[in-house]
Amino acid sequence: MDETLTDSTYLILLALLRPQHGYAIMKEVSELTKGTVEIGPASMYTILKKLQKNQYITLENTNDRKKVYTITESGKEVLKKDIQRRKLFFEAGQKLLVEGGEV
């Protein structure tokens, strides 16, 4: 997986800063975005498989048959890099809006 994360992948990794199962991940993403982003099960599980393949997350089976996902150290590093990339975009946009008298 490329280190530039899609918005959905970014939000899922953020949600996985604490171990969670699938439904809780979807709920957390919705809460993080104040309901502006909803990730459906098919999309989420496709992303989770890619994240596992790239060793950005791990999967644990629990006694109650829920699959719990956890971010790995390499997943945290990719997330930190992407946060910095997104900060640059935000700062560039804010600067240009201020210079243009829009803010």
Side-chain angles (χ1 to χ4, degrees):
M1 181 178 282
D2 186 325
E3 287 194 18
T4 299
L5 305 176
T6 65
D7 290 343
S8 295
T9 302
Y10 171 78
L11 291 166
I12 288 171
L13 282 176
L14 278 179
L16 290 175
L17 286 171
R18 63 176 181 232
Q20 300 199 61
H21 59 83
Y23 176 75
I25 295 168
M26 289 188 291
K27 188 175 172 186
E28 179 90 7
V29 166
S30 181
E31 289 172 7
L32 285 170
T33 63
K34 298 181 180 168
T36 61
V37 175
E38 301 283 337
I39 298 175
S43 296
M44 183 190 63
Y45 286 109
T46 299
I47 292 168
L48 289 172
K49 284 180 186 176
K50 288 178 185 177
L51 290 170
Q52 274 184 274
K53 180 181 174 195
N54 288 288
Q55 299 179 337
Y56 294 158
I57 64 171
T58 58
L59 170 64
E60 299 172 26
N61 288 311
T62 63
N63 292 339
D64 60 358
R65 299 183 339 161
K66 288 183 181 172
K67 294 179 179 180
V68 175
Y69 299 89
T70 306
I71 193 168
T72 63
E73 285 305 314
S74 63
K76 286 179 186 175
E77 288 305 311
V78 168
L79 183 59
K80 287 176 188 176
K81 287 179 186 174
D82 205 69
I83 288 170
Q84 290 304 312
R85 182 183 72 87
R86 289 169 187 269
K87 278 184 182 177
L88 288 173
F89 288 173
F90 171 80
E91 290 166 359
Q94 189 174 40
K95 179 182 179 222
L96 290 172
L97 285 171
V98 167
E99 287 173 0
E102 300 295 324
V103 176

